[in-house]
Amino acid sequence: MKFHGRKIYQGQAQGEALVTSMGISFFGGVDPDTSAIVETGHELEGQSISGKVLVFPTGKGSTVGSYTLYRLKRNGLAPAAIVNAQCETITAVGCIIAEIPCVDQIPIDQLKTGMSVWVDGEDGTVESYAGSRG
Amino acid sequence: MKLTPEEQQMLDGAYGRATQKAMEILVALGTIYDAERMVPVTSVQIAGVSYDNLGEAGLHFLSEMADGGGRTRVLTTLNPAGMDIENWQALGISEEFARSQMLVIDAFARMNVVTTCSCTPYLIGNSPHFGQHIAWAESSAVCYANSVIGARSNREGGPSALAAALTGITPEYGFHLEENRRPGITLEVKVALPDNDDFGALGVVIGKQLERFKQKPIAYILGVDQASVENLKSFCASVATYGGAALFHMRGVTPEADRYAPPDEHITITQADLDAAKAALTSAESDEADFVSLGCPHLTLNEIARIAELLKGRTVTKEFWITTARPTKQMADMMGYTRSIEEAGAKFAADTCCVVAPVKGRFKVLVTDSAKACYYAAGKNKFKTIIKPFDEVVLATLK
């Protein structure tokens, strides 16, 4: 399946999708030293976002969260790409300063955790392959 | 988005790496929020200055922007830092923290940012006038600028405010557009508001009302006939903290209120509402207090004069921080207020405040007149809190 969305930040990446229907707060919700989601009660609680194509509806919380993405990148633990239903300031700024490809306006309910996903931040497209590509 | 030739050149890198990164941020925000174009700004206020909030990554980003040739194009000031830049040792700040904090300040200085570290830029010379487009971070100052001054700002984050400073522009969306400044709910205040803590409590009550809506309406407030700069500063900080409000209209007080009729949706605020809000901000007994702070947002010269009057010839028995902008403290020095205050044993903490300084674990119970300070003391620093009227806070340090 190929989806046409909107380019938020350039770059291309392939990775395994990690999908949630819940918003993500990067400041306080993600541990920048382990890349684990640490927000209590989050459906991805305890899972690492490192190297994944992280798929979530939209960001939330403090604007300092942009720096969490930057810190993850510096620690070599950033997600490979970010895909949103609707991007907002915190995630967009974080992706730009950390140089993480980012695309939004994608029907994210059609993406499933474990799918292999190609994100093209140049033309704003996301392509998924059924199941893992091994 | 439509970009001018110069804006396109900035985006293409003709003005260096930092300006290019700044334009990437602004174009992305314009894209997300459907801005048609950029508008020039006359003033910027940057948040994300305390090393306690920024950390090593934030410092690295700011250093990269300074190294990448970033220089401000408009008047730009800074939010509070994590310490008093001159007097940090007396406040118990570690040398390691001070070193990192100074590197943050240096990075901003290299970009020609005016390094007054204050949440009240409008008191110290970064004061836009009615109708001007500005790009401010610091939620309390954004609310003050939009509502009390009638300038036009979205709630910027640290990097997006820096991006506006380095380019002199911001995408035209949100509160820059007249149609988004229209009130959606009337709040009728049927209670007297004699002091800052009352205005803070009002901010809590109204903020929580706004939080009930998915799409937060702009408040139209009736029944507040008089409000000092200090009262409005307290209210703005509180309604921004508890309700995420960036703009309100207050009939008889704020300049855009007369453009609108009170919206039909109507809520009355009573003494019981205010009392409940104050009770919720007080979680300890007075004799447990070990930390007293005034100046959230930063104190005006008037407030410092009042503290000096109350403390003159007396001795404080508790750790008492008076937080203000350095230019305001310099006026207090000139007037002799500083001497009266310091002779009583209270401490000036210029450039910083009890919200952004690294005070977690050092104290247990904060006394303040600020509803915003209570929020961060409880959430970020795990303190218990007591809210009192301004004079009573000062007197609490003498017991």
Side-chain angles (χ1 to χ4, degrees):
Chain A
M1 284 183 291
K2 187 167 183 178
F3 305 101
H4 293 266
R6 196 166 64 169
K7 164 191 172 177
I8 301 296
Y9 190 70
Q10 67 205 22
Q12 299 167 319
Q14 176 155 10
E16 187 186 328
L18 181 63
V19 185
T20 173
S21 61
M22 296 170 78
I24 291 181
S25 167
F26 287 98
F27 184 68
V30 178
D31 184 336
D33 296 319
T34 66
S35 84
I37 301 230
V38 292
E39 181 181 331
T40 309
H42 199 283
E43 62 188 24
L44 297 183
E45 188 178 351
Q47 299 208 47
S48 165
I49 64 173
S50 175
K52 301 286 169 56
V53 172
L54 184 60
V55 182
F56 58 103
T58 193
K60 58 176 185 173
S62 167
T63 53
V64 185
S66 301
Y67 287 121
T68 303
L69 281 167
Y70 185 79
R71 195 161 153 192
L72 284 165
K73 181 76 170 196
R74 298 241 307 147
N75 289 339
L77 295 171
I82 285 180
V83 175
N84 285 160
Q86 177 64 46
C87 195
E88 45 57 62
T89 304
I90 305 162
T91 305
V93 170
C95 286
I96 293 165
I97 66 178
E99 305 193 331
I100 298 167
C102 180
V103 172
D104 84 337
Q105 295 190 341
I106 296 294
I108 62 166
D109 53 352
Q110 302 201 31
L111 297 171
K112 306 290 174 218
T113 292
M115 279 179 170
S116 183
V117 176
W118 170 255
V119 178
D120 191 331
E122 306 300 327
D123 65 1
T125 60
V126 174
E127 195 166 2
S128 69
Y129 308 93
S132 172
R133 273 179 146 188
Chain B
M1 281 190 84
K2 270 186 256 149
L3 298 181
T4 66
E6 190 189 20
E7 288 163 2
Q8 188 62 50
Q9 285 175 343
M10 289 197 264
L11 185 61
D12 293 341
Y15 292 84
R17 188 70 200 111
T19 305
Q20 182 178 30
K21 186 102 317 210
M23 272 306 286
E24 286 173 356
I25 290 173
L26 299 177
V27 169
L29 294 181
T31 303
I32 291 171
Y33 298 109
D34 294 326
E36 288 180 11
R37 56 175 188 166
M38 302 289 179
V39 284
V41 294
T42 55
S43 160
V44 173
Q45 165 79 4
I46 296 177
V49 179
S50 172
Y51 185 74
D52 201 34
N53 292 342
L54 279 173
E56 196 57 31
L59 169 58
H60 191 267
F61 171 70
L62 293 171
S63 303
E64 268 189 357
M65 293 297 273
D67 293 343
R71 298 292 179 270
T72 60
R73 290 186 169 215
V74 294
L75 177 63
T76 303
T77 49
L78 289 183
N79 239 28
M83 63 183 201
D84 185 308
I85 303 300
E86 294 176 4
N87 193 32
W88 52 270
Q89 274 159 320
L91 301 175
I93 305 291
S94 76
E95 228 163 278
E96 188 188 353
F97 183 90
R99 207 169 21 247
S100 299
Q101 183 64 71
M102 288 316 298
L103 289 173
V104 172
I105 303 290
D106 288 347
F108 282 121
R110 281 194 283 145
M111 292 187 270
N112 291 343
V113 174
V114 179
T115 54
T116 48
C117 302
S118 176
C119 48
T120 57
Y122 49 89
L123 294 177
I124 54 164
N126 190 352
S127 24
H129 68 65
F130 183 85
Q132 283 186 319
H133 295 284
I134 63 176
W136 281 17
E138 169 49 31
S139 62
S140 73
V142 171
C143 189
Y144 191 97
N146 270 324
S147 312
V148 180
I149 299 173
R152 298 183 168 204
S153 181
N154 287 319
R155 270 170 74 125
E156 303 296 343
S160 66
L162 178 62
L166 301 186
T167 57
I169 53 176
T170 194
E172 187 183 45
Y173 70 94
F175 295 112
H176 292 286
L177 298 169
E178 181 92 29
E179 70 243 34
N180 298 324
R181 299 174 71 86
R182 181 166 287 282
I185 183 170
T186 301
L187 296 126
E188 187 165 8
V189 182
K190 293 202 162 168
V191 44
L193 303 164
D195 211 330
N196 291 345
D197 60 322
D198 302 294
F199 277 86
L202 180 66
V204 175
V205 174
I206 292 179
K208 289 191 171 166
Q209 288 290 349
L210 301 179
E211 282 288 324
R212 295 189 299 120
F213 296 85
K214 192 152 191 263
Q215 191 78 35
K216 258 177 268 176
I218 292 167
Y220 191 91
I221 301 164
L222 298 176
V224 181
D225 300 328
Q226 279 191 341
S228 66
V229 166
E230 289 81 2
N231 295 157
L232 289 167
K233 163 167 84 72
S234 176
F235 177 73
C236 288
S238 179
V239 79
T241 298
Y242 291 90
L247 169 64
F248 63 86
H249 303 291
M250 190 179 274
R251 196 162 73 184
V253 176
T254 65
E256 286 171 70
D258 289 343
R259 293 183 178 187
Y260 307 105
D264 291 339
E265 174 133 17
H266 183 282
I267 291 168
T268 303
I269 294 169
T270 64
Q271 187 68 50
D273 296 325
L274 220 63
D275 291 346
K278 281 193 207 173
L281 296 175
T282 297
S283 55
E285 299 296 327
S286 293
D287 59 2
E288 298 174 76
D290 59 354
F291 183 38
V292 181
S293 186
L294 285 171
C296 172
H298 274 168
L299 294 177
T300 64
L301 188 62
N302 263 337
E303 290 175 314
I304 295 172
R306 179 66 182 155
I307 297 171
E309 192 182 340
L310 290 169
L311 289 185
K312 197 170 173 68
R314 308 177 82 167
T315 304
V316 305
T317 59
K318 295 190 173 75
E319 181 86 2
F320 182 16
W321 285 18
I322 292 157
T323 66
T324 192
R326 183 156 304 280
T328 309
K329 175 171 180 290
Q330 285 162 347
M331 288 190 281
D333 294 348
M334 194 175 78
M335 294 301 295
Y337 306 149
T338 304
R339 211 171 88 185
S340 300
I341 288 168
E342 289 184 339
E343 279 176 359
K347 294 174 183 172
F348 268 90
D351 319 307
T352 188
C353 74
C354 66
V355 170
V356 297
V359 290
K360 190 173 182 178
R362 286 180 58 193
F363 307 106
K364 291 190 176 67
V365 178
L366 170 74
V367 185
T368 178
D369 72 337
S370 163
K372 175 178 180 174
C374 290
Y375 180 89
Y376 285 99
K380 184 181 169 208
N381 292 322
K382 311 294 174 207
F383 297 162
K384 289 181 177 175
T385 58
I386 300 171
I387 191 165
K388 286 176 182 287
F390 188 90
D391 283 10
E392 285 183 40
V393 173
V394 179
L395 298 175
T397 65
L398 300 170
K399 287 166 191 160

